[in-house]
Amino acid sequence: MKEIVRIVSEKWANYPIEKKEEMKQNALEDFKRYRENYQNYKTSLTDEQLKKLEEAKDKIKLKKTNLKLKNKKKELDKPKRPSSAYNSFCRDRYFKLDESVPFKERMILLAQQWKNEDAEVKKKYRDDYLEKMTVYNEILKEWEQKMVELGHFDMIGSNKLRKLHKQFQKKAKL
């Protein structure tokens, strides 16, 4: 891709100025036509259609925001929550099942196995999960404290952020 961009850039740099201006003028005219067509389109929509359009835009904006947040969490090495007891059970037993059986059917079999499993086995998985959650919560607290110190308040859960805000307000009053 870098090579293609370099070649195109060189060709554009050597392109005659008159042709460049002509292309820029054509692009401006195309954009004007687009804006006119878009305005005509928008005025032809009903109130319900406009509302749906705005909802779709908001949904896209929310997805982008969530993706940015997810990428930032990954970049800042946010600890990952441990797998549930059920997921750990499935992971342990999934590859022991016949590989010729389709995925969906294997998952149904695993769900049935979990449902019929002895209470002691389920307890083992649940205890393991609780232990991992305890460790996770400790690591998460340390990570969140680090995020506060670095000023990444958007990485903190809203309830914890409210508590921090109250703490800062109390300190400010003193």
Side-chain angles (χ1 to χ4, degrees):
M1 192 65 190
K2 287 180 182 179
E3 189 66 24
I4 293 170
V5 170
R6 188 186 61 75
I7 292 168
V8 170
S9 296
E10 286 175 7
K11 287 189 177 192
W12 180 254
N14 296 327
Y15 209 63
I17 293 173
E18 314 82 57
K19 295 277 188 178
K20 284 184 187 179
E21 289 303 319
E22 183 182 328
M23 290 175 81
K24 286 179 183 178
Q25 196 60 40
N26 288 342
L28 284 173
E29 290 171 13
D30 286 346
F31 187 67
K32 280 182 185 177
R33 274 194 303 278
Y34 160 77
R35 286 176 70 185
E36 288 171 9
N37 289 338
Y38 184 69
Q39 288 302 322
N40 292 337
Y41 165 73
K42 277 186 85 172
T43 54
S44 72
L45 296 175
T46 65
D47 288 341
E48 185 179 321
Q49 290 171 326
L50 282 170
K51 185 179 176 184
K52 284 184 179 180
L53 184 64
E54 286 303 315
E55 287 173 0
K57 285 181 180 179
D58 290 344
K59 196 174 184 179
I60 290 169
K61 198 181 285 186
L62 183 63
K63 276 186 177 182
K64 285 182 180 179
T65 303
N66 287 339
L67 182 63
K68 284 180 184 177
L69 192 61
K70 182 180 177 182
N71 289 337
K72 190 172 179 181
K73 286 177 182 179
K74 191 175 186 178
E75 188 179 297
L76 294 170
D77 292 326
K78 182 177 182 190
K80 290 189 177 155
R81 179 181 219 100
S83 296
S84 68
Y86 174 72
N87 283 344
S88 295
F89 172 84
C90 290
R91 189 176 48 248
D92 288 349
R93 303 207 177 187
Y94 180 80
F95 291 105
K96 294 176 183 172
L97 297 174
D98 183 9
E99 290 183 27
S100 65
V101 177
F103 173 79
K104 187 175 180 178
E105 289 178 33
R106 280 195 259 181
M107 295 312 296
I108 291 169
L109 285 170
L110 288 169
Q112 289 171 348
Q113 285 179 13
W114 176 257
K115 186 177 179 180
N116 299 327
E117 191 59 70
D118 184 45
E120 280 300 310
V121 173
K122 286 182 178 182
K123 184 179 179 333
K124 180 188 127 211
Y125 280 100
R126 287 187 181 122
D127 289 347
D128 184 48
Y129 169 73
L130 291 174
E131 188 179 309
K132 288 178 181 175
M133 274 304 290
T134 303
V135 171
Y136 165 77
N137 285 329
E138 290 172 16
I139 293 170
L140 184 62
K141 281 180 187 177
E142 291 172 12
W143 182 83
E144 286 179 335
Q145 185 61 41
K146 181 180 173 186
M147 292 302 105
V148 168
E149 290 168 6
L150 294 173
H152 295 290
F153 294 102
D154 55 337
M155 296 290 103
I156 311 297
S158 58
N159 289 337
K160 291 178 182 172
L161 196 56
R162 280 190 217 107
K163 285 181 183 178
L164 281 170
H165 184 67
K166 286 180 184 177
Q167 288 174 359
F168 286 130
Q169 283 180 332
K170 286 179 184 176
K171 285 181 182 178
K173 287 178 183 178
L174 296 176

